[in-house]
Amino acid sequence: MKYIGKDMSRVDGVAKVTGRAKYAAEYQLKNTAYGYIVQGEIARGTINSLNTGEAEKASGVLKILSHLNSPKVDEKSQEFRAFQSAEIKFHGQPIALVVANTFEQARHAANLVTAEYSKSAARTEFDTAMKDAENLVNASGNSRARGNPAQALADSAVKIEAEYRIPIEHHNPMEPHGAIAFWENGKLTVFDKSQGVFGVQNHLAVSFGIPKENVNVVSLFVGGAFGSALVPNYYPFITALAAREVGRPVKVNYTRQQMFTGNGYRPYTYQKISMGADKKGKLQSVIHRSYSNTASFKAFSENSSGFGRTLYSCPNYDSPYSIVKTDLPSPIWMRAPGAVSGAFALESAIDELAYELKIDPLEFRKINYAETDPETGKPFSSKALMDCFKAGAEKFGWDKRKLEPRSMKDEDGLLVGWGTAIGTWGAWQAPASTKITIKSDGTVHVGSGTSDIGPGTYTVVTMIAAEFLGVEPEKIKFDLGDSRLPQAPSQGGSVTTASVGSAVYGASMNLKKKLRDLAIEGSGTGILGTATADEMELAEGALRLKEDPSKSIAIEAILKLNGLSELVEEYTAMPNPERGKFTTMAHGAQFVEVKVDEALGIIKVTRVVEATACGRVMNPKTSHSQEMGGIVWGIGMALHEDTQIDHRYGKMMTTNLADYHIPTNADVFSIETDFVEEKDEIVNELGIKGMGELCLVGIPAAIANAVFHATGKRVRDLPITLDKIL
Ligand code: MOS
């Protein structure tokens, strides 16, 4: 392989660092007006009166939208939509949009809007809401229990039972959500921060009752999203509505504070695990019960207890899951949704049981290694987790670990703890289309309407096209993030490279066939003999024989001989039907060192080694960045992130980056990420599994386990702040 598997810097890197890459709210359109969102100040109730008189008189104000004058949308969706009624469902709900000539005028006038409400008691406290059966929804998408977990637990020689809690957490991408909308001859264009332009296009077409063809959604660059831009948010519709009302382009951008109520969050999770093993450490039973919160208007579930079912060879397993309705905005998927929350509980519990058995936690995982899917009995399409154990443990020096908690100290007298955990994530693929055009000047255009929220999709798709079309990456232009491009999945679930990469690979193979036919039949040239396309490859700008690369014809020459200015291929890649015979998952092992200052309670994650098995790695450079990002995220989840709610008001309080803590450079020390490559011909032709979420899954548990090893204190509610270990 010439490009695949080798480091490539981002093709959009220079554009990004020089500011040439335009994010949704950065487009400068003539005569743009600005919208500012007014938010409600109760968590549940009704707006009795909305007072906009003062604001309407303020300078520059063009229009104020609210439930009093907005159309009601007929959309079959549980997503929150603004201005649909006087009912208030969460604190911070948008109650008006003030549109003015300038941003400052809009913001000032927004401050003049007041509302009077009839208040109802808000149910935002998780434990209280959970006790009320009316708020409980059975959300288990899992198969029922395998075996007889209750009996097996009762019969187990060694067992543990523990409860784990994870607070609400927010995505906080650098780029706040925003959109610019304008209408031309009944056609709507929206620049939106989005992980999936087709979803937004569809939502706007349905909401305005116009054909999809009349809505174009553009999202060329996204400054992080992590799930917060996976579903169409409420603001593109009100932005487009405002643009229609004032007859000008309108821009709406969330403030950082609005980012905490306008695009979802990781739900609050309460989990209870009972686990039993025999005396030799063989798992007998796992009962993993999980609850997470949702909104009153949407049944959001993320199956936190389900991911564990394929992880260990254990004959008796149950993972019931319920969601709890609360008067909060709706949660949404957030990087490794479900998996990381579930793994914090499960991988902590595995550590606890290993300590009960006095078995090394890594050894305990090996004893219970699942060679085949314990759920279905199917083989894994590939699973190099055992190799990850070996590679990671060696690099980390795990064999020097002393089992006893509080048994290791560094030269400064800090307690040292070593913890491990594993993670898993699905190796999914979704249908994806692409259109590739080879031009007679030797350049190539690739189009697919997916998105690149930061992992490096522009780069990796360019690499795959370069590899299989035999064209230098500099000659390839890849366009994404536009609903006029061929249909592709949203960037979510770590499926993009597997899906869009497979489409580009398939299109490239068909282009090779077309070029072969044109070279042999169309032009009458005999250089390539009667070789089939399979016996040929595209390389160095030419079609040539694999056996004898000297027998070659330049792609440009083939087009010229046939009098063609371009050659086009449209292709849709579907998931391999063979997948059904296998379980397709990606796996990883994490090893973490923490140092704890006992006097001050300060915890530092001083070293992380992560070994990941996720099929074939396309671009090691950007993949390494993905893994580092996941690890830093895991540090935040374990030690910092915590959205606090004042339940007297049902209001999220930590809605800024001063009060909502995330790791900074000073919190991040040594991170090493290794890939154990797997050759997997089942997942797709290129052997690609996802990695962007997998890398995070085991980290919070590995850190919590390391904190236990350092201090002897088991913290089961995140984040692990100093007050919990002092
Ligand atoms: Mo990710 S939570 O699938 O954007």
Side-chain angles (χ1 to χ4, degrees):
M1 294 276 161
K2 188 163 178 191
Y3 302 106
I4 287 175
K6 306 213 167 82
D7 285 345
M8 189 185 285
S9 293
R10 288 168 191 264
V11 296
D12 52 343
V14 173
K16 278 186 167 173
V17 298
T18 55
R20 271 195 288 115
K22 276 205 170 46
Y23 295 81
E26 292 187 325
Y27 289 83
Q28 302 296 325
L29 303 183
K30 265 203 196 105
N31 204 25
T32 297
Y34 295 80
Y36 196 94
I37 297 162
V38 182
Q39 293 172 280
E41 292 182 330
I42 63 163
R44 185 173 163 226
T46 313
I47 305 171
N48 287 336
S49 67
L50 188 70
N51 314 311
T52 55
E54 282 294 303
E56 273 155 21
K57 280 183 268 167
S59 75
V61 171
L62 302 165
K63 181 85 191 172
I64 299 178
L65 294 174
S66 71
H67 68 285
L68 299 171
N69 58 4
S70 290
K72 308 298 167 252
V73 302
D74 182 22
E75 196 189 18
K76 282 171 195 59
S77 156
Q78 294 185 343
E79 299 306 330
F80 172 76
R81 297 298 175 227
F83 312 152
Q84 295 302 295
S85 76
E87 199 188 343
I88 297 283
K89 294 166 179 168
F90 57 89
H91 203 293
Q93 178 174 322
I95 57 169
L97 181 76
V98 178
V99 188
N101 284 319
T102 70
F103 171 75
E104 289 75 12
Q105 288 170 333
R107 183 175 58 181
H108 172 68
N111 280 321
L112 303 175
V113 175
T114 59
E116 277 138 44
Y117 308 93
S118 301
K119 256 195 244 182
S120 310
R123 302 151 301 187
T124 56
E125 201 155 27
F126 186 85
D127 284 18
T128 319
M130 197 175 84
K131 280 187 202 110
D132 186 346
E134 219 175 83
N135 295 325
L136 267 185
V137 181
N138 179 10
S140 192
N142 308 327
S143 7
R144 279 164 310 187
R146 66 178 190 246
N148 187 341
Q151 188 59 49
L153 185 70
D155 295 344
S156 291
V158 184
K159 53 195 118 178
I160 58 117
E161 186 174 277
E163 295 173 20
Y164 304 88
R165 285 171 189 271
I166 303 171
I168 285 176
E169 298 164 353
H170 278 83
H171 313 71
N172 277 305
M174 279 215 287
E175 177 204 19
H177 289 53
I180 300 171
F182 62 94
W183 295 80
E184 272 172 330
N185 309 321
K187 294 195 173 181
L188 170 64
T189 301
V190 178
F191 298 102
D192 183 27
K193 175 198 177 97
S194 174
Q195 293 174 250
V197 288
F198 298 107
V200 179
Q201 178 196 34
N202 195 49
H203 152 62
L204 292 173
V206 170
S207 300
F208 285 108
I210 56 176
K212 259 206 303 206
E213 299 69 51
N214 289 1
V215 180
N216 184 35
V217 178
V218 180
S219 186
L220 302 190
F221 292 96
V222 176
F226 316 107
S228 66
L230 258 175
V231 296
N233 279 303
Y234 72 77
Y235 67 85
F237 173 68
I238 60 174
T239 306
L241 184 64
R244 195 178 70 180
E245 293 297 310
V246 302
R248 290 165 62 174
V250 170
K251 179 196 287 200
V252 172
N253 222 178
Y254 281 172
T255 62
R256 180 56 64 181
Q257 284 76 10
Q258 288 169 343
M259 292 292 292
F260 284 80
T261 49
N263 42 253
Y265 52 86
R266 192 188 302 286
Y268 185 102
T269 313
Y270 163 72
Q271 299 175 82
K272 189 171 171 186
I273 294 192
S274 311
M275 204 182 257
D278 66 18
K279 283 199 178 114
K280 288 183 183 145
K282 191 84 198 63
L283 272 177
Q284 299 302 316
S285 176
V286 176
I287 301 172
H288 181 175
R289 186 165 239 308
S290 182
Y291 301 82
S292 62
N293 87 292
T294 187
S296 61
F297 51 89
K298 183 182 174 188
F300 176 81
S301 71
E302 58 172 26
N303 195 11
S304 35
S305 51
F307 281 89
R309 295 180 74 116
T310 58
L311 263 190
Y312 293 104
S313 166
C314 176
N316 306 290
Y317 207 110
D318 199 9
S319 55
Y321 173 43
S322 309
I323 53 176
V324 179
K325 286 187 204 164
T326 53
D327 294 313
L328 289 167
S330 177
I332 192 64
W333 301 288
M334 178 160 141
R335 199 171 189 174
V340 66
S341 302
F344 168 63
L346 183 68
E347 288 297 290
S348 292
I350 286 281
D351 201 75
E352 299 201 34
L353 189 53
Y355 269 92
E356 232 15 77
L357 288 153
K358 298 199 166 43
I359 296 176
D360 172 80
L362 182 61
E363 185 57 32
F364 184 51
R365 288 177 172 83
K366 288 181 185 168
I367 293 170
N368 293 292
Y369 195 79
E371 291 290 352
T372 54
D373 181 354
E375 185 78 7
T376 58
K378 288 178 189 176
F380 288 100
S381 62
S382 61
K383 181 183 176 183
L385 180 59
M386 200 57 103
D387 301 313
C388 293
F389 287 161
K390 192 165 181 301
E394 261 173 39
K395 186 165 263 185
F396 189 83
W398 187 261
D399 61 344
K400 291 183 214 62
R401 183 180 189 269
K402 293 183 194 140
L403 183 64
E404 201 53 36
R406 304 180 63 85
S407 60
M408 291 166 62
K409 278 196 175 173
D410 77 352
E411 58 277 12
D412 300 322
L414 297 176
L415 290 170
V416 174
W418 288 1
T420 187
I422 62 180
T424 189
W425 187 254
W428 295 298
Q429 185 178 332
S433 303
T434 186
K435 179 177 171 184
I436 301 186
T437 309
I438 300 179
K439 304 212 172 113
S440 56
D441 64 359
T443 61
V444 171
H445 183 264
V446 181
S448 181
T450 185
S451 93
D452 184 350
I453 60 176
T457 303
Y458 274 110
T459 310
V460 76
V461 172
T462 302
M463 285 171 83
I464 293 168
E467 186 72 53
F468 296 105
L469 292 172
V471 173
E472 289 162 19
E474 294 74 24
K475 292 190 173 162
I476 296 171
K477 170 98 167 55
F478 173 46
D479 279 326
L480 55 69
D482 190 314
S483 58
R484 289 167 298 192
L485 291 166
Q487 192 88 25
S490 304
Q491 184 150 70
S494 300
V495 304
T496 309
T497 309
S499 309
V500 179
S502 295
V504 169
Y505 172 76
S508 301
M509 291 301 109
N510 281 359
L511 281 163
K512 182 172 76 168
K513 279 190 206 118
K514 283 186 181 171
L515 285 164
R516 180 256 175 215
D517 293 349
L518 288 169
I520 293 180
E521 288 151 25
S523 70
T525 169
I527 303 171
L528 300 170
T530 55
T532 63
D534 283 346
E535 294 163 332
M536 298 180 185
E537 63 186 1
L538 288 167
E540 294 174 37
L543 180 68
R544 67 189 193 189
L545 295 185
K546 285 181 188 164
E547 292 273 296
D548 181 2
S550 73
K551 300 253 166 59
S552 90
I553 312 179
I555 296 170
E556 289 173 62
I558 298 172
L559 293 192
K560 204 175 278 171
L561 283 166
N562 288 275
L564 295 171
S565 63
E566 60 181 37
L567 192 59
V568 182
E569 172 70 16
E570 289 181 57
Y571 186 89
T572 299
M574 300 296 289
N576 180 2
E578 288 293 296
R579 277 172 166 262
K581 299 178 191 155
F582 298 85
T583 295
T584 56
M585 305 291 284
H587 298 88
Q590 287 92 25
F591 300 86
V592 167
E593 176 184 86
V594 299
K595 290 191 177 175
V596 180
D597 183 325
E598 248 194 312
L600 300 173
I602 293 170
I603 303 167
K604 284 183 178 168
V605 178
T606 46
R607 201 153 60 90
V608 180
V609 173
E610 174 161 276
T612 305
C614 57
R616 178 149 68 164
V617 172
M618 298 283 110
N619 186 357
K621 187 172 184 177
T622 48
S623 301
H624 174 69
S625 294
Q626 279 289 289
E627 305 303 283
M628 277 202 296
I631 291 166
V632 173
W633 192 299
I635 294 173
M637 192 166 172
L639 302 182
H640 306 284
E641 300 196 42
D642 184 4
T643 300
Q644 292 275 342
I645 297 165
D646 186 331
H647 296 291
R648 291 173 301 172
Y649 312 107
K651 181 183 183 181
M652 292 181 183
M653 301 305 290
T654 45
T655 58
N656 57 71
L657 292 177
D659 295 322
Y660 185 87
H661 295 173
I662 54 171
T664 65
N665 284 350
D667 298 305
V668 178
F669 296 86
S670 165
I671 292 178
E672 290 180 83
T673 66
D674 260 8
F675 291 100
V676 176
E677 294 234 358
E678 296 169 318
K679 191 167 163 41
D680 192 323
E681 288 168 349
I682 301 301
V683 283
N684 46 64
E685 281 149 309
L686 299 178
I688 300 167
K689 297 178 177 179
M691 65 172 68
E693 317 198 60
L694 172 66
C695 50
L696 159 64
V697 175
I699 296 289
I703 293 173
N705 294 341
V707 169
F708 170 75
H709 184 233
T711 64
K713 175 99 202 234
R714 183 70 70 179
V715 181
R716 301 184 183 88
D717 55 328
L718 296 182
I720 308 172
T721 44
L722 57 84
D723 52 299
K724 293 176 187 169
I725 59 161
L726 271 179

